Coordinates of all heavy atoms in Angstrom, one line a residue:
M13 N 0.8 -1.2 0.0 CA 0.0 0.0 0.0 C 0.9 1.2 0.0 O 0.6 2.2 -0.7 CB -0.9 0.0 1.3 CG -2.0 1.1 1.2 SD -3.2 0.8 2.5 CE -4.2 2.2 2.2
Y14 N 2.0 1.2 0.7 CA 2.9 2.4 0.8 C 4.2 1.9 0.2 O 5.2 1.9 1.0 CB 3.0 3.0 2.2 CG 1.7 3.4 2.7 CD1 1.0 2.7 3.7 CD2 1.1 4.6 2.2 CE1 -0.2 3.2 4.2 CE2 -0.1 5.0 2.7 CZ -0.8 4.3 3.7 OH -2.0 4.7 4.2
D15 N 4.3 1.6 -1.0 CA 5.5 0.9 -1.6 C 6.7 1.8 -1.6 O 7.8 1.4 -1.7 CB 5.2 0.5 -3.0 CG 4.3 -0.7 -3.0 OD1 4.1 -1.4 -2.0 OD2 3.7 -1.0 -4.1
N16 N 6.4 3.1 -1.6 CA 7.5 4.1 -1.7 C 8.2 4.4 -0.3 O 9.1 5.1 -0.2 CB 7.1 5.4 -2.3 CG 5.9 6.0 -1.6 OD1 5.2 5.2 -0.9 ND2 5.6 7.2 -1.7
I17 N 7.6 3.8 0.7 CA 8.2 4.0 2.1 C 9.0 2.8 2.5 O 8.4 1.7 2.6 CB 7.1 4.3 3.1 CG1 6.4 5.6 2.6 CG2 7.7 4.5 4.5 CD1 5.2 6.0 3.5
K18 N 10.2 3.0 2.8 CA 11.0 1.8 3.3 C 11.0 1.7 4.8 O 11.3 2.7 5.5 CB 12.5 2.1 2.9 CG 12.8 1.9 1.4 CD 13.6 0.6 1.2 CE 14.0 0.4 -0.3 NZ 12.8 0.1 -1.1
L19 N 10.6 0.5 5.2 CA 10.7 0.3 6.7 C 11.7 -0.7 7.0 O 11.9 -1.7 6.3 CB 9.3 -0.3 7.1 CG 8.1 0.6 7.0 CD1 6.8 -0.1 7.3 CD2 8.3 1.9 7.9
K20 N 12.4 -0.5 8.2 CA 13.4 -1.4 8.6 C 12.7 -2.6 9.3 O 11.6 -2.4 9.8 CB 14.3 -0.7 9.6 CG 15.1 0.4 9.0 CD 16.0 0.9 10.0 CE 16.9 2.1 9.3 NZ 17.7 2.7 10.3
P21 N 13.3 -3.7 9.3 CA 12.7 -4.9 10.0 C 12.7 -4.6 11.5 O 13.5 -3.8 12.1 CB 13.6 -6.0 9.7 CG 14.9 -5.5 9.1 CD 14.6 -4.1 8.7
C22 N 11.8 -5.3 12.2 CA 11.7 -5.3 13.6 C 13.1 -5.7 14.2 O 13.6 -6.7 13.8 CB 10.7 -6.3 14.1 SG 10.6 -6.4 15.9
P23 N 13.6 -4.9 15.2 CA 14.9 -5.2 15.8 C 14.8 -6.5 16.7 O 15.9 -7.0 17.0 CB 15.2 -4.0 16.7 CG 13.9 -3.3 16.9 CD 13.0 -3.6 15.7
F24 N 13.6 -7.0 17.0 CA 13.5 -8.2 17.9 C 13.3 -9.4 17.1 O 13.7 -10.4 17.5 CB 12.4 -7.9 18.9 CG 12.7 -6.7 19.7 CD1 12.1 -5.5 19.4 CD2 13.5 -6.8 20.8 CE1 12.4 -4.4 20.2 CE2 13.8 -5.7 21.6 CZ 13.2 -4.5 21.3
C25 N 12.5 -9.4 16.0 CA 12.3 -10.6 15.3 C 12.6 -10.6 13.8 O 12.6 -11.6 13.1 CB 10.8 -11.0 15.4 SG 9.7 -9.8 14.6
G26 N 13.0 -9.4 13.3 CA 13.4 -9.3 11.9 C 12.3 -9.2 10.9 O 12.6 -9.2 9.7
V27 N 11.1 -9.2 11.3 CA 10.0 -9.1 10.3 C 9.7 -7.6 10.0 O 9.7 -6.8 10.9 CB 8.7 -9.7 11.0 CG1 7.4 -9.4 10.1 CG2 8.9 -11.2 11.1
V28 N 9.5 -7.3 8.7 CA 9.2 -5.9 8.3 C 7.7 -5.7 8.6 O 6.9 -6.4 8.0 CB 9.6 -5.7 6.8 CG1 9.2 -4.3 6.4 CG2 11.1 -5.9 6.6
P29 N 7.4 -4.7 9.3 CA 6.0 -4.4 9.6 C 5.3 -3.7 8.6 O 5.9 -3.2 7.6 CB 6.1 -3.5 10.9 CG 7.4 -2.7 10.7 CD 8.3 -3.7 9.9
E30 N 4.0 -3.4 8.8 CA 3.2 -2.7 7.8 C 2.6 -1.4 8.5 O 2.4 -1.4 9.7 CB 2.0 -3.5 7.3 CG 2.5 -4.6 6.4 CD 1.3 -5.3 5.8 OE1 0.1 -4.9 6.0 OE2 1.6 -6.3 5.1
I31 N 2.5 -0.4 7.6 CA 1.9 0.8 8.2 C 0.4 0.6 8.4 O -0.3 0.0 7.5 CB 2.1 2.0 7.2 CG1 3.6 2.2 7.1 CG2 1.4 3.2 7.6 CD1 4.0 3.2 6.1
Q32 N -0.1 1.0 9.5 CA -1.5 0.9 9.8 C -2.2 2.3 9.9 O -1.6 3.2 10.4 CB -1.7 0.2 11.2 CG -1.0 -1.2 11.2 CD -0.7 -1.7 12.7 OE1 -1.3 -1.1 13.6 NE2 0.1 -2.7 12.8
D33 N -3.4 2.3 9.3 CA -4.1 3.5 9.3 C -5.1 3.5 10.5 O -5.8 2.4 10.7 CB -5.1 3.6 8.1 CG -4.4 3.3 6.8 OD1 -3.2 3.0 6.8 OD2 -5.1 3.4 5.7
F34 N -5.3 4.6 11.0 CA -6.3 4.8 12.1 C -7.3 5.9 11.8 O -6.8 7.0 11.3 CB -5.6 5.1 13.4 CG -4.8 3.9 13.9 CD1 -3.5 3.8 13.5 CD2 -5.4 2.9 14.7 CE1 -2.7 2.7 13.9 CE2 -4.6 1.9 15.1 CZ -3.3 1.7 14.7
V35 N -8.5 5.6 12.0 CA -9.6 6.7 11.8 C -10.1 7.0 13.2 O -10.6 6.2 13.9 CB -10.7 6.2 10.9 CG1 -11.7 7.2 10.8 CG2 -10.2 5.7 9.5
D36 N -9.9 8.3 13.6 CA -10.3 8.7 14.9 C -9.7 7.8 16.0 O -10.4 7.4 16.9 CB -11.8 8.8 15.0 CG -12.3 10.1 14.5 OD1 -11.6 11.0 14.3 OD2 -13.5 10.2 14.2
G37 N -8.5 7.3 15.8 CA -7.9 6.5 16.8 C -8.3 5.1 16.9 O -7.8 4.4 17.7
T38 N -9.1 4.6 15.9 CA -9.4 3.1 15.9 C -9.0 2.6 14.6 O -9.0 3.3 13.5 CB -10.9 2.9 16.1 OG1 -11.7 3.5 15.1 CG2 -11.4 3.4 17.5
R39 N -8.7 1.3 14.6 CA -8.3 0.7 13.4 C -9.4 0.1 12.7 O -9.6 -1.1 12.7 CB -7.2 -0.3 13.7 CG -6.4 -0.8 12.6 CD -5.4 -1.8 13.0 NE -4.7 -2.3 11.9 CZ -3.9 -3.4 11.9 NH1 -3.8 -4.1 13.0 NH2 -3.4 -3.8 10.8
D40 N -10.3 0.9 12.1 CA -11.5 0.4 11.5 C -11.4 0.5 9.9 O -11.5 1.6 9.4 CB -12.7 1.2 12.0 CG -14.0 0.6 11.4 OD1 -13.9 -0.2 10.5 OD2 -15.0 1.1 11.8
M41 N -11.1 -0.6 9.3 CA -10.9 -0.5 7.9 C -12.1 -0.2 7.1 O -12.0 0.2 5.9 CB -10.3 -1.9 7.4 CG -9.0 -2.2 8.0 SD -7.8 -0.9 7.7 CE -6.3 -1.5 8.5
N42 N -13.3 -0.3 7.7 CA -14.5 0.0 7.0 C -14.9 1.5 7.1 O -15.9 1.9 6.4 CB -15.6 -0.9 7.4 CG -15.3 -2.3 7.1 OD1 -14.9 -2.7 6.1 ND2 -15.6 -3.2 8.1
A43 N -14.3 2.2 8.0 CA -14.6 3.6 8.2 C -14.1 4.4 7.1 O -13.0 4.3 6.7 CB -14.1 4.1 9.6
L44 N -15.0 5.2 6.5 CA -14.5 6.1 5.4 C -14.1 7.4 6.0 O -14.9 8.0 6.8 CB -15.7 6.3 4.4 CG -15.9 5.0 3.6 CD1 -17.2 5.3 2.7 CD2 -14.7 4.7 2.7
P45 N -13.0 7.9 5.7 CA -12.6 9.2 6.2 C -13.5 10.3 5.7 O -13.8 10.3 4.5 CB -11.2 9.4 5.7 CG -10.9 8.3 4.7 CD -11.9 7.3 4.9
G46 N -14.0 11.1 6.5 CA -14.9 12.2 6.1 C -14.2 13.5 6.4 O -13.0 13.5 6.6
F47 N -15.0 14.6 6.5 CA -14.4 15.8 6.8 C -14.0 16.1 8.3 O -13.2 16.9 8.6 CB -15.3 17.0 6.3 CG -15.5 17.0 4.9 CD1 -16.7 16.5 4.3 CD2 -14.4 17.4 4.1 CE1 -16.8 16.5 2.9 CE2 -14.6 17.4 2.7 CZ -15.8 17.0 2.1
D48 N -14.7 15.3 9.2 CA -14.5 15.6 10.6 C -13.9 14.5 11.3 O -14.0 14.4 12.5 CB -15.9 16.0 11.2 CG -16.9 14.9 11.0 OD1 -16.6 14.0 10.2 OD2 -18.0 15.0 11.6
V49 N -13.2 13.6 10.6 CA -12.6 12.5 11.3 C -11.0 12.8 11.2 O -10.5 13.5 10.3 CB -12.9 11.1 10.8 CG1 -14.3 10.8 10.9 CG2 -12.4 10.9 9.3
K50 N -10.3 12.2 12.1 CA -8.9 12.4 12.2 C -8.2 11.2 11.8 O -8.4 10.1 12.3 CB -8.5 12.7 13.6 CG -7.0 13.0 13.8 CD -6.8 13.6 15.2 CE -5.4 13.3 15.7 NZ -5.2 12.1 16.2
L51 N -7.4 11.2 10.7 CA -6.7 10.1 10.2 C -5.3 10.1 10.9 O -4.7 11.2 11.0 CB -6.5 10.1 8.7 CG -7.6 9.5 7.9 CD1 -7.3 9.8 6.4 CD2 -7.7 8.0 8.1
S52 N -4.8 9.0 11.3 CA -3.5 9.0 11.8 C -2.9 7.6 11.5 O -3.6 6.7 11.0 CB -3.4 9.2 13.3 OG -4.2 8.2 14.0
Y53 N -1.6 7.5 11.7 CA -0.8 6.3 11.2 C 0.1 5.8 12.4 O 0.6 6.6 13.1 CB 0.0 6.6 10.0 CG -0.9 7.2 8.9 CD1 -1.2 8.5 8.8 CD2 -1.4 6.3 8.0 CE1 -2.0 8.9 7.8 CE2 -2.3 6.7 7.0 CZ -2.6 8.1 6.9 OH -3.4 8.5 5.9
G54 N 0.3 4.5 12.3 CA 1.2 4.0 13.3 C 1.8 2.7 12.7 O 1.3 2.1 11.8
I55 N 2.9 2.3 13.3 CA 3.5 1.0 12.9 C 3.9 0.2 14.1 O 4.5 0.7 15.0 CB 4.8 1.4 12.1 CG1 4.5 2.2 10.9 CG2 5.5 0.0 11.6 CD1 5.7 2.7 10.1
G56 N 3.6 -1.0 14.0 CA 3.9 -2.0 15.1 C 4.2 -3.3 14.6 O 3.7 -3.7 13.5
C57 N 5.1 -4.0 15.3 CA 5.4 -5.4 14.9 C 4.2 -6.3 15.2 O 3.7 -6.3 16.4 CB 6.6 -5.9 15.6 SG 7.0 -7.6 15.1
E58 N 3.6 -7.0 14.3 CA 2.5 -7.9 14.6 C 2.8 -9.4 14.5 O 1.9 -10.2 14.4 CB 1.3 -7.5 13.6 CG 0.8 -6.2 13.8 CD -0.5 -5.9 13.0 OE1 -0.4 -5.6 11.8 OE2 -1.5 -6.1 13.6
N59 N 4.1 -9.7 14.4 CA 4.5 -11.0 14.4 C 4.2 -11.7 15.7 O 4.6 -11.3 16.8 CB 6.0 -11.1 14.1 CG 6.6 -12.5 14.2 OD1 5.8 -13.5 14.2 ND2 7.9 -12.6 14.1
E60 N 3.3 -12.7 15.7 CA 2.9 -13.3 17.0 C 4.0 -13.9 17.8 O 4.0 -14.1 19.0 CB 1.7 -14.2 16.8 CG 2.0 -15.4 15.9 CD 0.7 -16.2 15.6 OE1 -0.3 -15.6 15.7 OE2 0.9 -17.4 15.3
K61 N 5.2 -14.3 17.1 CA 6.2 -14.9 17.8 C 7.3 -13.8 18.3 O 8.3 -14.2 18.9 CB 7.0 -15.8 16.8 CG 6.1 -17.0 16.5 CD 6.9 -18.0 15.7 CE 6.0 -19.2 15.4 NZ 6.0 -19.6 14.0
C62 N 7.0 -12.6 18.0 CA 7.9 -11.5 18.5 C 7.9 -11.4 19.9 O 6.9 -11.5 20.6 CB 7.5 -10.2 17.8 SG 8.7 -8.9 18.1
T63 N 9.1 -11.2 20.5 CA 9.2 -11.2 22.0 C 8.8 -9.8 22.5 O 8.6 -9.6 23.7 CB 10.7 -11.5 22.5 OG1 11.5 -10.5 21.7 CG2 11.0 -12.9 22.1
C64 N 8.8 -8.7 21.7 CA 8.7 -7.4 22.2 C 7.5 -6.6 21.6 O 6.9 -5.8 22.3 CB 10.0 -6.7 22.0 SG 10.0 -5.1 22.8
H65 N 7.1 -6.9 20.4 CA 6.1 -6.1 19.7 C 6.2 -4.6 19.9 O 5.4 -3.9 20.4 CB 4.7 -6.5 20.2 CG 4.3 -8.0 20.0 ND1 4.2 -8.9 20.9 CD2 4.1 -8.6 18.8 CE1 4.0 -10.1 20.4 NE2 3.9 -9.9 19.1
P66 N 7.3 -4.1 19.3 CA 7.5 -2.6 19.4 C 6.4 -1.9 18.6 O 5.9 -2.4 17.6 CB 8.9 -2.4 18.8 CG 9.2 -3.6 18.0 CD 8.5 -4.7 18.6
W67 N 6.1 -0.7 19.1 CA 4.9 0.0 18.5 C 5.2 1.5 18.6 O 5.7 2.0 19.6 CB 3.7 -0.4 19.3 CG 2.5 0.4 19.2 CD1 1.9 1.0 20.3 CD2 1.7 0.7 18.1 NE1 0.8 1.7 19.8 CE2 0.6 1.4 18.5 CE3 1.8 0.3 16.7 CZ2 -0.4 1.9 17.6 CZ3 0.9 0.7 15.9 CH2 -0.2 1.5 16.3
T68 N 4.9 2.2 17.5 CA 5.2 3.6 17.5 C 4.1 4.5 18.1 O 4.3 5.7 18.3 CB 5.3 4.1 16.0 OG1 4.1 3.9 15.3 CG2 6.4 3.4 15.3
G69 N 3.0 3.9 18.4 CA 1.8 4.7 18.8 C 1.0 5.0 17.5 O 1.5 4.8 16.4
D70 N -0.2 5.5 17.7 CA -1.1 5.6 16.5 C -1.2 7.1 16.2 O -2.2 7.5 15.5 CB -2.4 5.0 16.8 CG -3.2 5.7 18.0 OD1 -2.7 6.6 18.5 OD2 -4.3 5.2 18.3
D71 N -0.3 8.0 16.6 CA -0.6 9.4 16.5 C 0.3 10.1 15.4 O 0.4 11.3 15.4 CB -0.5 10.1 17.8 CG 0.9 9.9 18.4 OD1 1.7 9.1 17.9 OD2 1.1 10.5 19.5
S72 N 0.9 9.4 14.5 CA 1.7 10.0 13.4 C 0.7 10.6 12.4 O -0.2 9.9 12.0 CB 2.6 9.0 12.8 OG 3.6 8.5 13.7
P73 N 0.9 11.8 12.0 CA 0.0 12.5 11.1 C 0.0 12.0 9.7 O -0.9 12.1 8.9 CB 0.4 14.0 11.2 CG 1.8 14.0 11.7 CD 2.0 12.8 12.5
T74 N 1.1 11.4 9.3 CA 1.3 10.9 7.9 C 2.0 9.6 8.0 O 2.7 9.3 9.0 CB 2.1 11.9 7.1 OG1 3.5 11.9 7.6 CG2 1.6 13.3 7.0
P75 N 1.8 8.8 6.9 CA 2.6 7.5 6.9 C 4.0 7.7 6.9 O 4.8 6.9 7.5 CB 2.1 6.9 5.5 CG 0.9 7.6 5.1 CD 0.9 8.9 5.8
Q76 N 4.5 8.7 6.3 CA 6.0 9.0 6.3 C 6.4 9.3 7.8 O 7.5 8.9 8.1 CB 6.2 10.2 5.4 CG 6.2 10.0 4.0 CD 4.7 10.1 3.4 OE1 3.8 10.4 4.1 NE2 4.6 9.7 2.2
A77 N 5.6 10.1 8.5 CA 6.0 10.3 9.9 C 6.1 9.0 10.7 O 7.0 8.9 11.6 CB 5.1 11.4 10.5
A78 N 5.1 8.2 10.4 CA 5.1 6.9 11.2 C 6.3 6.1 10.8 O 7.0 5.5 11.6 CB 3.8 6.1 10.8
A79 N 6.7 6.1 9.5 CA 7.9 5.3 9.1 C 9.1 5.9 9.7 O 10.0 5.2 10.1 CB 8.0 5.4 7.5
E80 N 9.2 7.2 9.8 CA 10.4 7.8 10.5 C 10.4 7.4 12.0 O 11.5 7.1 12.4 CB 10.3 9.4 10.4 CG 10.9 9.9 9.1 CD 10.6 11.4 8.9 OE1 10.5 12.1 10.0 OE2 10.4 11.8 7.8
A81 N 9.3 7.4 12.6 CA 9.3 7.0 14.0 C 9.7 5.6 14.1 O 10.5 5.2 15.0 CB 7.9 7.2 14.6
W82 N 9.2 4.7 13.3 CA 9.6 3.3 13.3 C 11.1 3.1 13.0 O 11.8 2.4 13.8 CB 8.7 2.5 12.3 CG 9.3 1.1 12.2 CD1 10.1 0.6 11.3 CD2 9.0 0.0 13.1 NE1 10.4 -0.7 11.6 CE2 9.7 -1.1 12.7 CE3 8.2 -0.1 14.2 CZ2 9.6 -2.3 13.3 CZ3 8.1 -1.4 14.9 CH2 8.8 -2.4 14.4
N83 N 11.6 3.8 12.0 CA 12.9 3.5 11.6 C 13.9 4.1 12.7 O 15.0 3.5 12.9 CB 13.2 4.2 10.2 CG 12.6 3.3 9.1 OD1 12.4 2.1 9.3 ND2 12.4 3.9 8.0
R84 N 13.5 5.1 13.3 CA 14.3 5.7 14.4 C 14.5 4.7 15.5 O 15.5 4.4 16.0 CB 13.7 7.0 15.0 CG 14.7 8.1 15.1 CD 14.1 9.4 15.6 NE 12.7 9.4 16.0 CZ 11.8 10.1 15.3 NH1 12.1 10.8 14.2 NH2 10.5 10.1 15.6
R85 N 13.3 4.1 15.8 CA 13.3 3.1 16.9 C 14.1 1.8 16.5 O 14.8 1.2 17.3 CB 11.8 2.7 17.2 CG 11.7 1.5 18.1 CD 10.2 1.4 18.4 NE 9.8 2.5 19.3 CZ 9.0 2.2 20.4 NH1 8.5 1.0 20.6 NH2 8.7 3.2 21.2
A86 N 13.9 1.4 15.2 CA 14.5 0.2 14.8 C 16.0 0.3 14.8 O 16.7 -0.7 15.0 CB 14.1 -0.2 13.4
K87 N 16.5 1.5 14.7 CA 18.0 1.7 14.7 C 18.6 1.5 16.0 O 19.6 0.9 16.1 CB 18.3 3.1 14.2 CG 19.4 3.2 13.1 CD 19.8 4.6 12.9 CE 18.7 5.4 12.2 NZ 19.1 6.7 11.8
D88 N 18.0 1.9 17.1 CA 18.6 1.7 18.4 C 18.3 0.4 19.0 O 17.4 0.2 19.8 CB 18.3 2.9 19.5 CG 17.4 3.9 19.0 OD1 17.7 4.7 18.2 OD2 16.2 3.9 19.5
E89 N 19.0 -0.6 18.5 CA 18.8 -1.9 19.0 C 19.5 -2.1 20.4 O 20.6 -1.6 20.5 CB 19.5 -2.9 18.0 CG 18.5 -3.6 17.1 CD 19.2 -4.4 16.1 OE1 19.5 -5.6 16.3 OE2 19.4 -3.9 15.0
Ligands
ZN115 ZN1 9.0 -8.1 16.0

């Protein structure tokens, strides 16, 4: 979905995560963004075998900002 954004693998399990969209703070894929909803983005490891499940939080205003937050975190192993 965001092919132009490079994400580093999870520092704990090595799986590359996906960017998640949030509408008004919930991860509802059926919700259509309207004029009065707040879209935000977050990235977390969803590998069920991961020991840590690092998570950026869901408050990045753009997918790029979420990617930066994730990659910053992925770097300090
Ligand atoms: Zn992981």
Side-chain angles (χ1 to χ4, degrees):
M13 189 169 178
Y14 300 107
D15 290 342
N16 54 338
I17 298 176
K18 285 252 184 290
L19 293 176
K20 294 183 181 178
C22 174
F24 299 95
C25 67
V27 170
V28 177
E30 288 188 4
I31 296 173
Q32 299 161 16
D33 311 2
F34 294 87
V35 178
D36 278 342
T38 62
R39 195 179 173 195
D40 182 355
M41 295 307 177
N42 297 317
L44 288 174
F47 292 107
D48 55 354
V49 298
K50 182 170 155 278
L51 271 175
S52 60
Y53 301 87
I55 300 171
C57 179
E58 295 190 277
N59 175 8
E60 57 188 27
K61 295 187 178 129
C62 187
T63 55
C64 187
H65 298 112
W67 164 238
T68 62
D70 65 0
D71 56 353
S72 296
T74 63
Q76 287 81 5
E80 277 171 31
W82 171 265
N83 285 338
R84 227 179 2 250
R85 169 173 288 223
K87 226 189 296 185
D88 2 289
E89 257 173 87

